[in-house]
């Protein structure tokens, strides 16, 4: 095993990006070098999966170094089952994004590639951070490259979309920072306590915080994460950001960035504040159900394929929110695997929308039709990814949605089957808007002469989709490969909530204790 493997994975993209800037005058060499680096990082991340002990729910691959000793702030990283799959998803999608941008990004290429590498560092840092201040730093690092990726390489309304994305995210970040400071200060007020930002120490203290204060802290963290999810009605930045972002930006935004919000809800809101999570479960599950239905209904009336896929993300992430706040092992397991499923399926949809846009320079559904006869390979792969997004049995989307609905149906925290009844309509609506879109784009007559001369997918484009398709089938057919890694962590988090629900006391512990 490579020493300090997590640190190597986190910082290698940025260090490589800085070194590659020396080759910026040779764009081909620069892009090729960046792709080689990200592929190597994905290969380096695989030992995390094979070396991870699924029977141990504790943090693994830990690295802890004093960073700001005067404030007891440390560089502390590690992973458990919750973060493991998200780290692997990030390292998988980043090289795919860079390869997909080979021909579509033509201006300021070195800067685009460098920002993507910096973005990978930020995303991996968030998933691996075990210090709340370090988590906040990486959370803010992500904001910078994504702002420029949308604002420089986006569509005609890119500035509006970039500023809206920045403002929404920044507001939530400030609330999270205030909550982190208060939580760390509270640790210092306990007998024998010290000011600390270490997540492990705070996780022993936070569950016993007085309920009123716990609810305020829960709300501050939740609002920050719900903006990132994005949950209804905080979702309005997402369609603009998706539509205006370049294809690579949309893929990484849907594939990974939205998962930062749901990851934060489990890691901070549920794990640190189980009593508050119980109190808020019904409300947040209802927000998830509203998002499922709202996102589906709005997707039905879209004329732009990319905007349709963007609104479908609101619906799909609503399922994840419902699964998390069902507060059952099945529901939360479903929520975690659905994060991965959404990253794969929606990432692939954005890739394929980008491929057809590069050929036709339009995303309007009415400008297509009859593509099955002209580009059959594209049409076949597009059908598989569409069915994956719908949740067809045998493909990845079905596994996540089934576990979420099953776990929420049995949820004592929710106490009602109506959440699942309404959420299940979202499955039907998804079939309606996705299949309707597919039928109008792929089947029927060729309505425009420009479509008759379209070229089918190249070997490079097929190669981009093959890894994603592999995991779409793999998760759909044999999900235990991945669920077995997450179950002990999820079970431990849910047991903390159940202890509160059953009235067992959670007393503060010395934050300096191990």
């Amino acid at each position: 095993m490579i020493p300090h493997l997590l640190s190597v994975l986190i910082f290698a993209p940025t260090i490589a990006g800085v070194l590659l800037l020396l080759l910026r005058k040779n764009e081909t060499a620069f892009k090729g070098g960046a792709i080689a680096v990200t592929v190597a990082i994905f290969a380096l991340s695989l030992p995390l999966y094979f070396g991870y002990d699924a029977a141990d729910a504790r943090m693994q691959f830990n690295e802890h170094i004093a960073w700001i000793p005067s404030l007891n702030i440390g560089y502390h990283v590690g992973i458990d089952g919750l973060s493991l799959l998200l780290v692997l998803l990030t390292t998988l999608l980043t090289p795919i994004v860079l390869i997909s941008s080979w021909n579509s990004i033509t201006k300021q290429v070195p800067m685009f590639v460098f920002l993507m590498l910096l973005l990978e560092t930020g995303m991996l840092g968030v998933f691996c951070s075990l210090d709340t201040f370090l988590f906040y730093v990486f959370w803010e690092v992500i904001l910078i490259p994504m702002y420029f990726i949308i604002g420089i390489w986006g569509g005609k309304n890119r500035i509006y979309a970039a500023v809206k994305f920045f403002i929404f995210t920044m507001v939530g970040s400030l609330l999270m920072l205030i909550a982190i400071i208060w939580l760390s200060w509270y640790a210092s007020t306990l007998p024998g306590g010290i000011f600390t930002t270490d997540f492990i120490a705070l996780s022993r203290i936070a569950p016993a915080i007085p309920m009123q204060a716990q609810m305020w802290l829960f709300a501050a963290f939740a609002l920050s994460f719900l903006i990132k999810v994005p949950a209804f009605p905080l979702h309005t930045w997402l369609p603009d950001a998706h539509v205006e972002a370049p294809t690579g930006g949309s893929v990484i935004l849907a594939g990974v960035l939205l998962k930062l919000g749901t990851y934060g809800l489990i890691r901070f809101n549920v794990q640190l504040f189980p009593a508050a999570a119980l109190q808020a479960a019904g409300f947040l599950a209802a927000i998830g159900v509203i998002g499922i239905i709202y996102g589906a209904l709005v997707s039905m009336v879209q004329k732009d394929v990319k905007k349709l896929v963007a609104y479908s993300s609101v619906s799909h992430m609503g399922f994840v929110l419902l699964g998390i706040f069902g507060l059952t092992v099945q529901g939360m397991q479903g929520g975690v695997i659905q994060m991965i499923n959404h990253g794969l399926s929606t990432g692939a949809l954005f890739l394929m929308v980008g491929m057809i846009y590069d050929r036709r320079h339009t995303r309007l559904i009415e400008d297509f039709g009859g593509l099955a006869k002209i580009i059959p390979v594209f049409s076949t792969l597009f059908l598989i990814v569409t069915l994956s997004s719908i949740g067809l049995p045998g493909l990845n989307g079905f596994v996540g949605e089934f576990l979420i609905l099953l776990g929420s149906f049995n949820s004592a925290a929710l106490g009602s089957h109506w959440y699942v009844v309404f959420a299940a309509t979202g499955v039907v609506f998804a079939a309606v808007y996705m299949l309707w879109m597919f039928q109008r784009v792929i089947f029927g007559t060729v309505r425009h002469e420009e479509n008759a001369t379209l070229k089918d997918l190249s070997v490079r484009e097929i190669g981009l989709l093959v890894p994603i398709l592999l995991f779409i089938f793999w998760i759909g057919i044999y999900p235990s490969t991945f669920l077995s890694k997450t179950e002990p962590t999820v079970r431990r988090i849910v047991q903390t909530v159940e202890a509160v629900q059953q009235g067992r006391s959670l007393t503060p512990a010395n934050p300096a204790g191990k």
Side-chain angles (χ1 to χ4, degrees):
M1 188 68 68
I2 298 173
H4 307 291
L5 180 55
L6 288 183
S7 293
V8 171
L9 291 173
I10 292 168
F11 294 107
T14 299
I15 293 171
V18 172
L19 295 176
L20 284 169
L21 287 175
L22 299 174
L23 302 173
R24 62 185 180 277
K25 293 184 179 179
N26 186 335
E27 288 187 358
T28 301
F30 188 91
K31 290 189 288 187
I35 290 168
V37 166
T38 53
V39 170
I41 290 169
F42 172 66
L44 283 174
S45 69
L46 293 178
L48 293 177
Y49 178 87
F50 295 106
Y52 181 81
D53 182 4
D56 187 353
R58 295 175 299 177
M59 295 293 175
Q60 301 177 33
F61 302 97
N62 282 276
E63 300 175 38
H64 198 177
I65 303 170
W67 182 20
I68 309 176
S70 60
L71 294 176
N72 203 30
I73 295 174
Y75 170 78
H76 188 185
V77 294
I79 60 170
D80 60 3
L82 177 59
S83 46
L84 171 64
L85 297 186
L86 292 167
V87 167
L88 294 172
L89 178 68
T90 304
T91 59
L92 171 68
L93 289 182
T94 304
I96 290 174
V97 165
L98 289 178
I99 297 170
S100 73
S101 304
W102 188 276
N103 294 325
S104 58
I105 300 298
T106 56
K107 66 176 183 179
Q108 301 183 52
V109 174
M111 182 57 67
F112 175 84
V113 173
F114 175 76
L115 290 173
M116 276 293 178
L117 292 173
L118 178 61
L119 189 59
E120 184 175 19
T121 287
M123 294 183 296
L124 291 173
V126 166
F127 293 134
C128 296
S129 293
L130 293 181
D131 183 279
T132 56
F133 182 76
L134 183 67
F135 178 93
Y136 179 79
V137 170
F138 281 120
W139 183 275
E140 290 297 271
V141 165
I142 289 169
L143 182 59
I144 299 167
M146 200 66 218
Y147 171 79
F148 285 112
I149 287 169
I150 298 171
I152 297 175
W153 293 276
K156 61 180 181 179
N157 294 321
R158 59 186 180 273
I159 302 301
Y160 170 78
V163 171
K164 193 173 183 179
F165 164 79
F166 189 94
I167 291 173
F168 266 77
T169 306
M170 182 59 71
V171 169
S173 299
L174 291 174
L175 289 170
M176 178 167 62
L177 179 61
I178 293 169
I180 288 172
I181 293 171
W182 194 97
L183 187 58
S184 301
W185 167 82
Y186 178 82
S188 69
T189 65
L190 297 175
I194 56 174
F195 184 95
T196 181
T197 57
D198 186 76
F199 179 83
I200 304 300
L202 294 175
S203 66
R204 301 189 187 104
I205 297 165
I209 291 175
M211 192 60 190
Q212 185 176 6
Q214 193 173 141
M215 288 300 296
W216 280 108
L217 290 168
F218 182 95
F221 279 114
L223 187 59
S224 177
F225 297 136
L226 290 171
I227 289 172
K228 187 72 82 175
V229 170
F232 177 90
L234 305 170
H235 68 283
T236 57
W237 63 268
L238 180 68
D240 294 311
H242 268 317
V243 171
E244 299 305 327
T247 297
S250 293
V251 173
I252 212 71
L253 183 61
V256 183
L257 288 192
L258 303 190
K259 313 308 176 298
L260 301 177
T262 46
Y263 170 80
L265 286 169
I266 300 175
R267 177 69 76 216
F268 285 80
N269 286 83
V270 178
Q271 195 167 350
L272 293 184
F273 312 114
L278 273 171
Q279 290 289 326
F283 173 75
L284 289 173
I287 292 294
V289 172
I290 292 170
I292 291 169
I293 299 171
Y294 170 84
L297 293 177
V298 176
S299 294
M300 286 184 193
V301 299
Q302 296 306 312
K303 299 179 180 180
D304 183 315
V305 181
K306 197 173 186 182
K307 187 169 280 191
L308 182 150
V309 177
Y311 274 109
S312 76
S313 291
V314 177
S315 184
H316 288 137
M317 295 308 289
F319 273 105
V320 177
L321 197 59
L322 174 62
I324 291 171
F325 286 98
L327 298 177
T328 63
V329 174
Q330 298 100 324
M332 200 171 289
Q333 277 273 76
V336 173
I337 201 68
Q338 192 67 0
M339 293 186 219
I340 308 301
N341 294 339
H342 179 264
L344 295 169
S345 301
T346 305
L349 283 172
F350 278 120
L351 277 175
M352 301 195 80
V353 171
M355 291 171 184
I356 201 70
Y357 178 79
D358 289 341
R359 290 161 167 76
R360 276 288 275 116
H361 302 290
T362 179
R363 296 187 298 261
L364 295 178
I365 294 173
E366 64 184 17
D367 290 338
F368 297 102
L371 298 187
K373 303 172 185 177
I374 302 162
I375 46 176
V377 176
F378 173 89
S379 302
T380 301
L381 299 185
F382 194 43
L383 174 62
I384 295 172
V385 177
T386 298
L387 294 176
S388 165
S389 183
I390 291 171
L392 184 76
L395 301 177
N396 61 337
F398 174 76
V399 175
E401 289 181 356
F402 176 77
L403 285 173
I404 288 168
L405 294 176
L406 176 64
S408 302
F409 191 83
N410 295 326
S411 171
L414 298 182
S416 173
H417 300 325
W418 285 106
Y419 292 95
V420 173
V421 172
F422 285 111
T425 63
V427 178
V428 179
F429 291 147
V432 171
Y433 67 75
M434 291 300 293
L435 292 178
W436 191 19
M437 177 273 292
F438 184 83
Q439 184 272 328
R440 288 182 290 170
V441 170
I442 301 299
F443 294 127
T445 59
V446 180
R447 295 191 290 270
H448 297 273
E449 293 180 3
E450 296 92 330
N451 294 337
T453 58
L454 291 178
K455 294 182 179 180
D456 212 338
L457 297 184
S458 65
V459 174
R460 176 182 65 86
E461 290 170 326
I462 294 173
L464 284 174
L465 295 169
V466 165
I468 298 177
L469 292 170
L470 171 65
F471 285 105
I472 283 175
F473 284 105
W474 190 346
I475 296 173
I477 295 171
Y478 195 66
S480 66
T481 308
F482 307 96
L483 292 172
S484 62
K485 296 289 186 180
T486 61
E487 183 177 357
T489 299
V490 168
R491 189 173 297 279
R492 176 172 54 84
I493 294 171
V494 171
Q495 285 172 347
T496 304
V497 177
E498 289 175 346
V500 173
Q501 198 168 19
Q502 294 166 10
R504 294 200 293 264
S505 63
L506 293 168
T507 56
N510 187 334
K514 299 296 180 184

